[in-house]
Amino acid sequence: MAKAKMLVDKNFKLAEVNKRVYGSFIEHLGRAVYNGIYQPGHPAADEDGFRKDVLELVKELDVPIIRYPGGNFVSNFFWEDSVGPKEQRKPRLDLAWRTLETNEFGLGEFAKWTKKAGSDIMMAVNLGTRGIADALNLLEYCNLDTNSYYSNLRKSHGDKEPYNIKTWCLGNEMDGSWQIGHKTALEYGRLAAETAKAMKEMDHSIELVSCGSSSVDMSTFPEWEAVTLEETYDYVDYISLHNYYGNAANDTEDYFAKTQDMERFIQTVIATCDYIKAKKRSKKTLYLSFDEWNVWFHVMASDSEAMKRKPWQIAPHLLEDHYDFEDAILVGLILITFLKHVDRLKMACLAQLVNVIAPIMTENDGGAWRQTIYYPFLHASKYGRGVALQSIITSTKHDSSQHTDVTDIEAVSVFNEEKDEVTIFAVNRSVKEDALFESDLRSFEGYHVIEYLALENDDMKLTNSIAGEKVAPYARTDYEFQDGIFTTNMKKCSWNVIRLGK
Ligand code: AHR
């Protein structure tokens, strides 16, 4: 039988979980903005045209930071077209997704929307077709309260107070040949370093993210990190990681093993950062921003076809992956992987938030609904705040078609000292066996089980829709908690959230 033993000890602290690991992403892509977060005329729209049904779901997820406006979109984005009186805004061709951008919704609207959502903005600058001057103009427009051109321009557009955007990405996926204005590592490193220096000269309060690799499978990984950081290390605070996962081979066992690749990715980036740190005799430690991650594969092929056949549409249905039960399990595994690295991983963005590879979907003529992946993200965001404890766990293992020594159980725990609560997040990724899970929580004296939530199903391909949620968590009661030892039979292919409190 598969089994695992986990020691959860309040004294073995890994690091504080930065709430920004529960960030997300809104790109001008498909129906993320138009008919997603913004749809004037929809019965649920508020006075600004923002969909209240979507805002409610976003607020439920409690997303502390949202990356904007791309993604690939940002690499030919002319932000000036997206501000000022709407009737004067210019429509533009978006080459990344071959759509027509009306610019009806822009920077000012997004700043207003994020306020309503209770989130901060992570803003990306265009280092594809533009450069230092444009990044500075944008920064002045967003953050400065000076009697100068761009600061005054924002005020003339009705926003007296600066947006005070703290976190800025220096371009997007500049290592990718698909990127408009793609660069070699040295070209990017030089441009990013000079842009960073100038931006920090203008606003000392900002923090910057240098572009890392677009996936662990890029042929330039990890040389890209080493070469670019050699240039940017002194001027930036984070390096980005992006990776999407999929089960195109329909091999669930191997799909669930893919967080091993993510582990390798994270560890290699940390090692590369520390190599540059050592080389530069630097005292500064660089942190990781996994600012694009998710499952993305269901509609990839049909999307490329649609972009070829029917270009220059406004808000077409693109990247609308309809997630199933096994995707939710993988998302749970990814979140556990993040929590095991919060000593270096300080930000992460679930890509994306609404309609585009998203936990939240909308009907143009109807309501909003939760995809399967909504739930593990919700649980982690709600209960995964506090101090991540070191994962001391032994588990039985198996091999999958492409991976070896895959642990049956993956688990991590987070101690919220303020609330006197501790939560265990666990996945049984065995597709064959239930597992006996035992956790020693004796250091949490006087604690009791608040609830044990689980996502379980035998049908890996089950999905949710506007008609109803076939995949939703339920409360389990068949566990034992005696003398500080928690025991349960963890179902095969399951996501488990065990919450204890005083
Ligand atoms: O999130 C979808 C796309 O994936 C982003 O635009 C790009 O950065 C990545 O390749």
Side-chain angles (χ1 to χ4, degrees):
M1 187 192 191
K3 57 182 174 202
K5 276 194 177 184
M6 182 182 188
L7 174 63
V8 180
D9 192 309
K10 53 158 63 153
N11 300 307
F12 296 166
K13 292 178 176 157
L14 172 67
E16 183 79 29
V17 180
N18 189 319
K19 65 178 182 180
R20 298 195 297 176
V21 298
Y22 306 119
S24 190
F25 180 24
I26 288 281
E27 178 166 4
H28 279 257
L29 194 183
R31 298 190 307 129
V33 172
Y34 306 106
N35 298 345
I37 61 175
Y38 175 77
Q39 193 177 358
H42 187 278
D46 69 7
E47 65 288 359
D48 294 310
F50 304 153
R51 279 185 65 156
K52 285 185 282 186
D53 51 352
V54 174
L55 264 172
E56 278 321 302
L57 292 175
V58 173
K59 281 199 261 181
E60 187 179 29
L61 288 179
D62 195 0
V63 186
I65 191 161
I66 304 180
R67 192 161 172 256
Y68 180 82
N72 296 338
F73 172 81
V74 80
S75 293
N76 192 33
F77 177 49
F78 286 70
W79 66 269
E80 302 90 325
D81 300 339
S82 82
V83 296
K86 286 198 179 187
E87 57 292 351
Q88 287 168 24
R89 295 190 194 169
K90 301 178 198 128
R92 286 270 193 176
L93 296 183
D94 163 32
L95 301 186
W97 306 105
R98 306 193 82 220
T99 51
L100 189 74
E101 172 55 56
T102 63
N103 280 311
E104 185 184 329
F105 183 102
L107 192 47
E109 286 77 25
F110 189 65
K112 204 168 198 182
W113 182 83
T114 46
K115 262 206 179 125
K116 290 190 181 180
S119 312
D120 290 333
I121 301 174
M122 179 195 279
M123 187 77 197
V125 301
N126 173 359
L127 290 191
T129 57
R130 303 184 99 182
I132 305 173
D134 169 60
L136 289 174
N137 296 344
L138 176 59
L139 179 62
E140 182 187 325
Y141 184 92
C142 290
N143 280 12
L144 266 65
D145 193 5
T146 43
N147 189 14
S148 51
Y149 181 75
Y150 286 104
S151 171
N152 288 340
L153 187 64
R154 185 200 64 247
K155 290 176 200 160
S156 76
H157 294 156
D159 287 337
K160 297 264 169 304
E161 296 304 318
Y163 304 141
N164 286 326
I165 299 174
K166 186 177 174 193
T167 312
W168 294 76
C169 301
L170 296 163
N172 176 70
E173 295 191 350
M174 300 307 302
D175 61 327
S177 57
W178 59 87
Q179 203 66 219
I180 309 287
H182 156 67
K183 296 182 172 41
T184 66
L186 192 57
E187 285 167 350
Y188 172 74
R190 290 291 308 126
L191 177 60
E194 293 305 322
T195 309
K197 261 160 70 180
M199 287 178 77
K200 283 202 169 166
E201 194 57 49
M202 181 176 271
D203 183 349
H204 295 332
S205 71
I206 58 170
E207 51 182 27
L208 296 170
V209 187
S210 194
C211 265
S213 291
S214 303
S215 92
V216 70
D217 299 321
M218 295 297 288
S219 61
T220 45
F221 174 75
E223 187 63 10
W224 172 273
E225 280 69 8
V227 174
T228 58
L229 285 180
E230 184 89 50
E231 305 300 323
T232 62
Y233 198 90
D234 293 336
Y235 315 111
V236 301
D237 307 278
Y238 305 89
I239 182 153
S240 71
L241 296 83
H242 290 183
N243 217 102
Y244 293 96
Y245 301 87
N247 186 16
N250 196 18
D251 178 348
T252 304
E253 186 170 62
D254 196 59
Y255 185 38
F256 290 165
K258 289 190 181 179
T259 48
Q260 274 194 351
D261 310 336
M262 183 176 237
E263 275 282 345
R264 179 168 48 89
F265 193 12
I266 292 173
Q267 279 161 6
T268 310
V269 174
I270 292 173
T272 312
C273 289
D274 292 350
Y275 161 68
I276 300 294
K277 176 181 183 176
K279 209 172 159 190
K280 286 188 174 288
R281 315 287 191 260
S282 175
K283 289 205 167 71
K284 175 169 133 188
T285 299
L286 214 70
Y287 292 102
L288 273 50
S289 170
F290 214 121
D291 47 44
E292 281 191 38
W293 68 270
N294 202 350
V295 171
W296 175 18
F297 75 105
H298 291 281
V299 291
M300 237 173 208
S302 54
D303 279 348
S304 325
E305 224 7 73
M307 284 190 282
K308 259 187 235 146
R309 265 189 304 106
K310 283 175 111 188
W312 321 127
Q313 308 279 309
I314 298 172
H317 290 259
L318 283 178
L319 280 70
E320 297 199 9
D321 280 45
H322 202 156
Y323 294 118
D324 56 25
F325 174 76
E326 65 182 13
D327 297 329
I329 301 299
L330 190 83
V331 163
L333 282 162
I334 291 173
L335 289 161
I336 290 172
T337 308
F338 286 164
L339 287 170
K340 288 198 319 201
H341 289 284
V342 287
D343 50 335
R344 292 300 288 274
L345 185 86
K346 300 292 178 188
M347 291 194 289
C349 301
L350 169 64
Q352 298 190 8
L353 187 56
V354 181
N355 285 334
V356 170
I357 40 174
I360 300 167
M361 299 297 288
T362 67
E363 305 290 308
N364 289 354
D365 304 318
W369 53 279
R370 300 174 185 86
Q371 295 241 47
T372 61
I373 63 164
Y374 186 94
Y375 286 106
F377 189 79
L378 172 74
H379 294 154
S381 175
K382 247 178 130 167
Y383 307 124
R385 301 194 187 202
V387 175
L389 300 175
Q390 287 177 33
S391 248
I392 303 165
I393 180 165
T394 51
S395 167
T396 46
K397 295 179 179 167
H398 61 268
D399 290 345
S400 67
S401 60
Q402 310 296 323
H403 297 82
T404 50
D405 283 334
V406 183
T407 48
D408 290 319
I409 302 277
E410 275 292 293
V412 70
S413 59
V414 178
F415 177 29
N416 190 323
E417 292 177 90
E418 252 168 53
K419 292 190 174 162
D420 258 326
E421 282 181 20
V422 60
T423 302
I424 298 173
F425 300 100
V427 167
N428 177 2
R429 60 175 152 185
S430 167
V431 297
K432 298 189 181 110
E433 295 181 283
D434 292 354
L436 179 66
F437 178 76
E438 191 185 292
S439 179
D440 180 343
L441 290 134
R442 281 176 296 174
S443 73
F444 290 94
E445 235 187 291
Y447 278 57
H448 63 275
V449 178
I450 302 173
E451 62 180 345
Y452 173 8
L453 301 169
L455 279 182
E456 296 165 354
N457 217 287
D458 289 331
D459 181 355
M460 296 297 119
K461 308 298 176 192
L462 207 60
T463 57
N464 291 348
S465 71
I466 187 78
E469 293 184 3
K470 292 187 179 149
V471 179
Y474 84 105
R476 279 190 59 171
T477 48
D478 49 341
Y479 58 83
E480 265 185 30
F481 187 52
Q482 250 180 17
D483 303 326
I485 309 287
F486 179 92
T487 321
T488 191
N489 179 42
M490 219 166 250
K491 295 277 183 309
K492 64 180 179 187
C493 310
S494 63
W495 161 252
N496 304 267
V497 182
I498 301 155
R499 296 180 56 224
L500 294 99
K502 227 174 185 173

